[in-house]
């Protein structure tokens, strides 16, 4: 039997109060006052926001009053904690409520102050992971205007889509503090008109490959290689599972296949500043690689000037429990032990690649002083600074 009206009506004299915004403007915040996305028991939790799991926090102002709010994913909160100057390693391995409770504790009284701009009570921040080598995964695509569908959107720079990626680990595929960090890469339409029931890539008048075509080909090779020679393209929209002429819109089945196959690739993520002054991730699809990091043959290497000694001192101090170098070698040699070679394959590969050092004939003795210095900086960037030992504590080679 049909019924009229609502089952429950609220009391207009008892309206639930939400987050009270503060005036728009610039503020200096000194930490995080609270995480106000909570469960029914009051514990901090991540909540869904447009398909992303985010936590909502309130900043603390210098005078002790409540500041504007911020909404961020787990990796974004890690980056925020880093801006506050706290040791983010305390967040490693933590999930959910445990992560958020630790995050709130370590950012309550932060070493650094941040200048933020509030609009409608909320803050937007450009939080970028450090420039480094990462393992990334393709997670989808969207039009720049966030409109429906995956048709190329015309614009100032041609027809484009945004391909979405997320960090899936460090360069060796191990868990990192920035896992699930998402970012977009603009991709221009590389396809020509279809012919004979097949899609076609654009070529130049001389038959050469334009860079946009090369980028898409590299993307397909990395994330859905079967699409190049195995996929049967359907030109009839009524027969296509995607409801489109796939030969005229090959990006649609390619995007779905790449997302479904969940392959990963290695890439060096860098930063760039847009015309609007925002800092964003800078990633070129041509730089993608799925090759496993090459095994490094660290052979006997003679000593070099102070730059190499600084490198060795850092390694010995950072990993004091590892027998990395053969202490019985002559003073004019630096020799890796067998355990040291294993250590190097695990810990030295990533900074070596990040430093842009030769991929073949990897040998410390072959590096210039400048290259050794670059390698040491990458080691410190990846594994952190250390207090250098006193001169009397330096290892005796």
């Amino acid at each position: 039997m049909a019924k009229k009206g609502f089952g429950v009506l609220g009391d207009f004299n008892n309206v639930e109060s939400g987050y009270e915004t503060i005036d728009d403007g610039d503020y200096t915040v000194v930490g995080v006052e609270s995480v106000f996305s909570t469960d029914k028991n009051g514990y901090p939790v991540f909540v869904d926001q447009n398909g992303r799991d985010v936590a909502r926090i309130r900043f603390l102002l210098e005078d002790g009053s409540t500041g504007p709010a911020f909404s961020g994913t787990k990796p974004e909160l890690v980056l925020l904690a880093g801006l506050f100057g706290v040791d983010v390693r305390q967040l490693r391995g933590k999930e959910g409520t445990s992560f958020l409770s630790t995050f709130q504790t370590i950012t309550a009284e932060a070493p650094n102050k941040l200048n933020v701009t509030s609009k409608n009570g909320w803050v937007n921040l450009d939080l970028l992971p450090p420039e480094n080598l990462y393992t990334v995964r393709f997670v989808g695509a969207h039009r720049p205007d966030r409109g429906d569908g995956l048709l190329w959107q015309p614009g100032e720079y041609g027809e484009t889509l945004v391909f979405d990626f997320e960090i899936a680990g460090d360069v060796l595929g191990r868990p990192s503090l920035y896992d699930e960090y998402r970012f977009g890469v603009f991709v221009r339409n590389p396809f020509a008109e279809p012919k004979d029931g097949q899609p076609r890539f654009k070529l130049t008048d001389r038959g050469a490959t334009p860079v946009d075509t090369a980028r898409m080909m590299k993307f397909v090779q990395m994330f859905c290689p079967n699409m190049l020679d195995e996929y049967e393209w359907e030109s009839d929209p009524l027969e296509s599972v995607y409801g489109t002429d796939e030969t005229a819109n090959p990006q649609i089945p390619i995007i779905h296949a790449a997302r479904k196959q969940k392959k990963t690739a290695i890439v060096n993520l860098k930063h760039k500043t847009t015309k609007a002054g925002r800092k964003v991730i800078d990633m070129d699809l041509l730089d993608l690689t799925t090759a496993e990091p090459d095994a490094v043959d660290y052979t006997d290497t003679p000593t070099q000037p102070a730059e190499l000694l600084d490198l060795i001192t850092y390694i010995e101090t950072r990993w004091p429990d590892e027998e990395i170098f053969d202490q019985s070698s002559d003073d004019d040699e630096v020799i890796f032990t067998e355990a040291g070679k294993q250590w190097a394959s695990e810990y030295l590969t990533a900074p070596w690649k990040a430093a842009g050092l030769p991929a073949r004939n990897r040998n410390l003795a072959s590096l210039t002083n400048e290259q050794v210095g670059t390698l040491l900086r990458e080691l410190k960037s990846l594994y952190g600074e250390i207090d250098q030992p006193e001169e009397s504590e330096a290892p005796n080679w």
Side-chain angles (χ1 to χ4, degrees), residues 155-176:
E156 179 182 357
Y157 302 103
E159 296 181 319
T160 62
L161 285 172
V162 179
F163 280 24
D164 298 314
F165 296 84
E166 71 176 18
I167 292 177
D170 65 13
V171 67
L172 299 178
R174 300 171 302 190
S176 80

Side-chain angles (χ1 to χ4, degrees), residues 214-226 228 263 290:
R215 288 189 174 109
M216 179 59 72
M217 292 177 67
K218 187 63 174 289
F219 173 84
V220 174
Q221 290 171 354
M222 292 296 103
F223 297 104
C224 53
N226 61 303
L228 290 176
K263 294 181 181 293
T290 55

Side-chain angles (χ1 to χ4, degrees), residues 123-151:
V123 169
N124 286 322
L125 296 171
D126 293 328
L127 298 171
L128 305 182
E131 293 183 319
N132 214 328
L133 287 160
Y134 295 95
T135 299
V136 298
R137 178 185 296 111
F138 176 72
V139 294
H142 63 272
R143 290 166 57 93
D145 63 2
R146 296 285 180 176
D148 294 335
L150 292 172
L151 296 180

Side-chain angles (χ1 to χ4, degrees), residues 102-123:
T102 304
F103 167 81
Q104 185 171 338
T105 298
I106 65 177
T107 57
E109 296 182 5
N112 298 340
K113 300 177 182 179
L114 300 180
N115 296 318
V116 300
T117 299
S118 174
K119 184 176 182 180
N120 297 325
W122 294 83
V123 169

